[in-house]
Amino acid sequence: AQTVTQSQPEMSVQEAETVTLSCTYDTSESDYYLFWYKQPPSRQMILVIRQEAYKQQNATENRFSVNFQKAAKSFSLKISDSQLGDAAMYFCAYRKKRTDKLIFGTGTRLQVFP
Amino acid sequence: EAQVTQNPRYLITVTGKKLTVTCSQNMNHEYMSWYRQDPGLGLRQIYYSMNVEVTDKGDVPEGYKVSRKEKRNFPLILESPSPNQTSLYFCASTPLERIAYGYTFGSGTRLTVV
């Protein structure tokens, strides 16, 4: 069965600095999708970034980028120029192609200090 | 505004008293799903529906029921709630042709069973 592991329950970063959140996953599939979701105190789940496994190029969305290492089954999220509004719980998620279910990690709580 | 609406946002109930958490989306999405979020466990899928009158179990369906009589609505029913169902619940939806792009989530329902 596929699993997603986020080994950092909590992280902190100073405003304007860069932070990297880790995610590893276990799968025997070759084609799948990976996601990072942000959950601020409002509880809303917000899609931050998405990566397709067959694409070697790392996805980027403004200050958010990923380091996708397919062989290592690693999918880390880098937040550059951190802002106070980035403080949230971040969830890594996996979906096998041609299935519906998102499998989530346990989350990393990010604190941002001024 | 395109959205997934869950009600209520907060609910405290007693063991054994039947309750329904409603979920409605105005985007004509075929696919809808329910997740529960628990500390240290991330989000886990309870039930999902590919379209009207088509529902199936997720990873943690025990103690829950769902129905999909209309495309826009996907209520979650707890016939006899127990304290271990105290959790944060999310409804999510997506069009089937964009299922690879992640879900649109509702704002969550915080349920406490005493």
Side-chain angles (χ1 to χ4, degrees):
Chain A
Q2 292 87 12
T3 58
V4 178
T5 302
Q6 294 179 248
S7 59
Q8 307 153 316
E10 292 190 1
M11 293 281 286
S12 62
V13 64
Q14 199 122 24
E15 207 174 0
E17 298 294 308
T18 296
V19 65
T20 298
L21 309 184
S22 301
C23 173
T24 59
Y25 56 94
D26 184 27
T27 184
S28 57
E29 303 291 322
S30 60
D31 203 1
Y32 47 86
Y33 306 96
L34 296 162
F35 305 83
W36 278 99
Y37 278 88
K38 171 185 178 181
Q39 186 181 49
S42 66
R43 300 188 326 214
Q44 187 69 42
M45 293 287 285
I46 302 163
L47 179 63
V48 174
I49 201 163
R50 169 185 174 272
Q51 176 81 40
E52 299 182 48
Y54 69 88
K55 289 186 178 178
Q56 294 198 342
Q57 187 172 4
N58 289 324
T60 299
E61 289 287 342
N62 301 312
R63 297 182 295 106
F64 298 87
S65 61
V66 297
N67 183 6
F68 173 48
Q69 303 286 330
K70 192 172 183 179
K73 296 178 185 176
S74 171
F75 183 60
S76 60
L77 175 70
K78 185 170 87 170
I79 306 174
S80 304
D81 186 25
S82 297
Q83 300 175 358
L84 295 177
D86 294 334
M89 182 75 89
Y90 287 82
F91 290 98
C92 178
Y94 162 98
R95 172 188 275 135
K96 186 169 69 172
K97 198 171 185 182
R98 287 184 294 278
T99 66
D100 65 283
K101 185 170 66 178
L102 278 175
I103 299 170
F104 286 86
T106 52
T108 297
R109 184 169 300 283
L110 177 67
Q111 292 182 301
V112 181
F113 295 103
Chain B
E1 181 189 350
Q3 59 186 356
V4 178
T5 302
Q6 288 180 234
N7 281 297
R9 191 161 168 82
Y10 297 91
L11 179 59
I12 301 175
T13 191
V14 296
T15 299
K17 185 177 181 181
K18 181 180 179 180
L19 67 91
T20 299
V21 183
T22 63
C23 174
S24 181
Q25 50 91 7
N26 61 0
M27 297 167 282
N28 203 37
H29 289 171
E30 296 87 3
Y31 180 88
M32 298 184 76
S33 182
W34 278 102
Y35 280 78
R36 62 177 288 174
Q37 180 182 345
D38 301 290
L41 295 176
L43 283 81
R44 295 175 293 166
Q45 190 182 55
I46 303 171
Y47 268 95
Y48 66 95
S49 170
M50 290 288 194
N51 215 323
V52 177
E53 302 291 1
V54 180
T55 64
D56 209 344
K57 297 177 181 178
D59 294 321
V60 288
E62 296 77 21
Y64 304 95
K65 284 175 56 177
V66 293
S67 69
R68 188 90 183 272
K69 294 184 171 59
E70 306 163 283
K71 199 172 189 179
R72 61 185 294 128
N73 295 324
F74 190 45
L76 179 69
I77 303 154
L78 285 72
E79 295 269 1
S80 182
S82 63
N84 65 11
Q85 293 177 298
T86 292
S87 187
L88 177 59
Y89 291 87
F90 285 98
C91 180
S93 75
T94 186
L96 278 177
E97 73 268 17
R98 289 188 62 81
I99 204 165
Y101 290 83
Y103 304 150
T104 301
F105 283 87
S107 299
T109 295
R110 171 76 68 188
L111 173 65
T112 302
V113 184
V114 298

